[in-house]
Amino acid sequence: MEIIRTVDDLRSRLAAARQQGLSIGLVPTMGALHDGHISLVERARRDNDVVVVSVFVNPTQFNNPTDLATYPRTEEADCQRLADAGVDIAFVPTVDEMYPEPDTRVFDLGPVAEVMEGPMRPGHFNGVAQVVSRLFEMTHPTRAYFGEKDFQQIAVIRRMVELEGFDLEIVPCPIKRHDDGLAMSSRNVRLTPEQREIAPAIHRTLQSSLDWAATHTVDETKRYVVDTVNSFPHMEVEYYEIVDGATMQPISDWQQSQEPVGCITVYCGDVRLIDNIKYPSHKC
Ligand code: PAF
């Protein structure tokens, strides 16, 4: 595996690959890699001739300086995992390399960015759009891979792709979970042993809400999830919203969406965890 640190080197290496007609799969990451990331890499490996993984903790998407400062950074271990997974290129730039000038672009992300994470983390999605558009512009991937744990992020990236006119395929990949159901996340390492034991209650509650949803309204289902998760020690739900899976707009009636998705954010101590679940369509 090649480790490339500059944009010029990345561009020239990939221009050569494109000239040979090879397809390029890009997996953007912020490092601290876990099996969830590796599942994206494996999918990219199956689909493409050349697999590029970027490892970059993007400062422009952090609206909380403590979160940026405490974000785990494990470059050596990450590169080892990527090499073991058969990645061709790890792109590991510095902040100055990615942003030689401050990025002042403001994307018109529209309604998909105006709900849930949008108001909770002002500027976050604009920062994601900035860095992902740069990565797309540098790599011109055939396909780019994103985990469905960040469900809303995928809708935002699709919108950015539409705005910028990138010609590529966005490939959403299923959430990877630990055996006890907790969604894999780089933030999980910050949970205390006690919090780590309780955190799977998020997924368990979302799972049990599937039965609940069959005989209850959207509002009742939301209330059930919030009350159940909040009943566990250390857990505080920031929001639980049931939205249409394509538009990200909240629904108030099951009939309003063919693909309702419940998106939750929970503070477990001071660690912010997110997860989601797809409900079956209630339409006949
Ligand atoms: O999902 C993430 O890890 C990040 O938001 C991404 C897409 C790598 C952009 O920094």
Side-chain angles (χ1 to χ4, degrees), residues 28-31 37 54 56-58 61 71 124 127-128 131-132 135 146 150 153 157:
T29 81
M30 297 208 298
H37 295 109
S54 59
F56 179 64
V57 181
N58 173 38
Q61 72 185 75
Y71 202 85
H124 167 68
V128 170
V131 75
V132 175
L135 290 167
F146 297 92
D150 296 292
Q153 172 172 272
I157 290 168

Side-chain angles (χ1 to χ4, degrees), residues 125-145:
F125 281 139
N126 198 62
V128 170
Q130 288 174 340
V131 75
V132 175
S133 63
R134 274 169 186 258
L135 290 167
F136 285 177
E137 201 268 317
M138 291 162 191
T139 47
H140 292 284
T142 317
R143 301 177 190 87
Y145 296 79

Side-chain angles (χ1 to χ4, degrees), residues 6 23 64-65 68 97 113 115 126 139 169 204 208 224 259 262 280:
T6 70
S23 58
N64 175 344
L68 174 60
E97 187 65 26
V115 293
N126 198 62
T139 47
E169 186 189 346
R204 272 203 314 277
S208 62
Y224 164 76
E259 38 170 339

